[in-house]
């Protein structure tokens, strides 16, 4: 079993960095710049955390059955903690992928989480900017599905034969 670990501070840094780049493109309107960059203000952390969890769940579901593991909890609630790290556990059968493939998976999922947070925020604060982020999000999900297809147990068995 492999683990993909996403440090929350690094995700927040990436989100802030891209929000800053987006705000620079709005240089003619300082008020609109603030609408974009206030994403990580203290009062907005709950929404950011919720969106991170949503994006992570989306990736785990997309990668199923590679992420199929026994549930750790018997019940699911809407109360989530804010961890220092988010973890995706991957199961491989019959052969584990290369480290470069794992690195690519990690990079795509990291970027997917970041872009999902920004797309969600733009839909609320600067709606006209949201479609570009949604398009990027869709492209990342397509790449994730492509890697999943290559790594799926059925496909791997056929490649070995």
């Amino acid at each position: 079993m492999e683990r993909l670990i996403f440090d929350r501070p690094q995700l927040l840094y990436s989100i802030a960095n891209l929000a800053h780049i987006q705000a620079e493109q709005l240089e003619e309107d300082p008020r609109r710049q603030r609408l974009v960059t206030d994403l990580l203000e203290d009062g907005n952390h709950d929404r950011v955390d919720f969106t991170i969890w949503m994006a992570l769940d989306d990736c785990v579901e997309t990668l199923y059955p590679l992420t199929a593991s026994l549930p750790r909890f018997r019940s699911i609630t809407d109360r989530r903690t804010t961890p220092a790290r988010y973890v995706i556990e991957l199961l491989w059968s019959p052969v584990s992928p290369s480290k470069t493939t794992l690195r690519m998976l990690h990079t795509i999922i990291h970027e997917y989480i970041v872009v999902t947070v920004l797309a969600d925020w733009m839909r609320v604060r600067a709606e006209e900017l949201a479609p570009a982020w949604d398009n990027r999000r869709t492209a990342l999900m397509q790449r994730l599905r492509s890697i999943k297809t290559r790594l799926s147990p059925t496909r791997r068995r056929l490649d070995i034969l």
Side-chain angles (χ1 to χ4, degrees):
M1 176 173 31
E2 304 284 344
R3 289 182 170 189
L4 299 178
I5 300 170
F6 303 90
D7 291 326
R8 185 173 184 275
Q10 187 59 44
L11 289 169
L12 296 179
Y13 174 81
S14 296
I15 291 164
N17 189 35
L18 283 177
H20 178 73
I21 291 168
Q22 179 72 74
E24 283 182 344
Q25 295 174 359
L26 302 171
E27 63 187 29
E28 73 283 348
D29 188 351
R31 185 187 66 75
R32 286 177 41 83
Q33 282 182 325
R34 281 190 306 278
L35 289 178
V36 172
T37 57
D38 68 357
L39 169 63
L40 295 178
E41 295 295 318
D42 287 339
N44 300 323
H45 279 285
D46 288 342
R47 183 64 196 174
V48 170
D49 290 336
F50 176 81
T51 308
I52 289 172
W53 275 114
M54 188 174 63
L56 196 65
D57 289 346
D58 199 13
C59 291
V60 168
E61 181 64 23
T62 297
L63 289 172
Y64 180 86
L66 302 177
T67 56
S69 60
L70 296 173
R72 293 187 207 163
F73 307 102
R74 296 211 179 263
S75 61
I76 297 173
T77 71
D78 59 356
R79 282 187 248 161
R80 300 221 180 170
T81 60
T82 302
R85 307 167 122 187
Y86 300 88
V87 178
I88 296 178
E89 293 180 352
L90 301 167
L91 305 174
W92 307 113
S93 175
V95 179
S96 295
S98 68
K99 288 194 184 274
T100 56
T101 300
L102 288 173
R103 169 53 84 192
M104 179 58 72
L105 264 177
H106 188 276
T107 301
I108 291 170
I109 293 170
H110 177 98
E111 188 70 5
Y112 181 83
I113 293 168
V114 169
V115 168
T116 298
V117 170
L118 286 163
D120 179 71
W121 186 253
M122 296 306 165
R123 274 192 291 283
V124 173
R125 302 301 296 235
E127 195 170 350
E128 72 282 359
L129 300 175
W133 293 103
D134 284 329
N135 290 341
R136 190 166 175 188
R137 183 176 179 256
T138 300
L140 288 164
M141 183 52 70
Q142 288 171 344
R143 289 181 70 193
L144 192 60
R145 286 185 179 122
S146 173
I147 290 173
K148 176 202 168 186
T149 300
R150 281 195 341 240
L151 297 175
S152 69
T154 304
R155 170 88 184 245
R156 299 286 292 195
R157 275 191 228 109
L158 292 175
D159 289 346
I160 291 171
L161 297 176

